[in-house]
Amino acid sequence: LDELVKPQLLLLDPVMTQQDTFLGQIPVKIYSYTVPVYLMKQPSRISKDELPFSLILVQDIESPFLQEFPVDDPTKAMDSWFPGYSWIPVAYPCGERMQHVGWKYVNKDGDFFYGVVVKVDPTRADGFHVATFGTLKRQRRATAIRT
């Protein structure tokens, strides 16, 4: 999964966040770049579990295998960790399952970026590994719950 994140596509400048889900931001050395890692949680209005996780942002993901799972209710997708952008869960195949690796964020003009779920790992040369946020069934539309 780590091949999803290309160093040249990392977003290095901070992006405005939704305050009630933002837990903090830490600078982390990933490859040779200092990258903001976003510490987030699910909002209680979307998921009662309010699960915490870490994201890095990338301009694009260059993989023909990445699959989008549009949500059933676009108005709920506008309740985004990044105001002005709606979210679409994205997943990557792993055997018969699709591993939920993050979200695509799209604004009304069609501009987009991806938030990739990561675990920071200072013992690794690249500084991180892509984590998963559960699995999604192939050919299934995602619900508005970000899990």
Side-chain angles (χ1 to χ4, degrees):
L1 293 175
D2 295 344
E3 68 272 6
L4 291 175
V5 177
K6 307 281 190 236
Q8 67 275 19
L9 296 176
L10 289 165
L11 289 177
L12 305 178
D13 294 326
V15 176
M16 185 174 69
T17 59
Q18 184 183 64
Q19 291 307 304
D20 67 326
T21 58
F22 180 66
L23 300 175
Q25 186 182 92
I26 55 172
V28 175
K29 192 74 148 182
I30 295 181
Y31 300 110
S32 60
Y33 303 96
T34 300
V35 177
V37 174
Y38 295 81
L39 308 176
M40 310 295 287
K41 70 173 182 169
Q42 295 176 312
S44 61
R45 64 190 166 277
I46 301 258
S47 172
K48 65 181 171 75
D49 295 328
E50 296 186 77
L51 298 173
F53 56 93
S54 301
L55 290 176
I56 59 172
L57 306 182
V58 294
Q59 296 171 24
D60 201 357
I61 294 177
E62 299 172 344
S63 171
F65 304 109
L66 193 71
Q67 186 175 340
E68 295 180 7
F69 287 77
V71 297
D72 294 329
D73 184 350
T75 59
K76 291 205 176 181
M78 286 302 299
D79 185 359
S80 173
W81 296 307
F82 302 100
Y85 289 84
S86 60
W87 51 269
I88 303 166
V90 293
Y92 194 77
C94 185
E96 292 300 312
R97 298 196 175 262
M98 296 296 290
Q99 296 294 321
H100 181 191
V101 296
W103 296 266
K104 182 177 183 180
Y105 296 94
V106 184
N107 71 14
K108 63 180 173 126
D109 297 326
D111 298 326
F112 67 92
F113 62 89
Y114 289 87
V116 180
V117 180
V118 297
K119 295 283 184 195
V120 174
D121 186 348
T123 65
R124 291 176 49 125
D126 55 11
F128 77 102
H129 69 270
V130 172
T132 64
F133 207 62
T135 59
L136 299 171
K137 293 181 181 174
R138 292 181 190 266
Q139 306 303 317
R140 176 173 105 44
R141 291 180 63 86
T143 64
I145 298 174
R146 301 178 192 161
T147 59

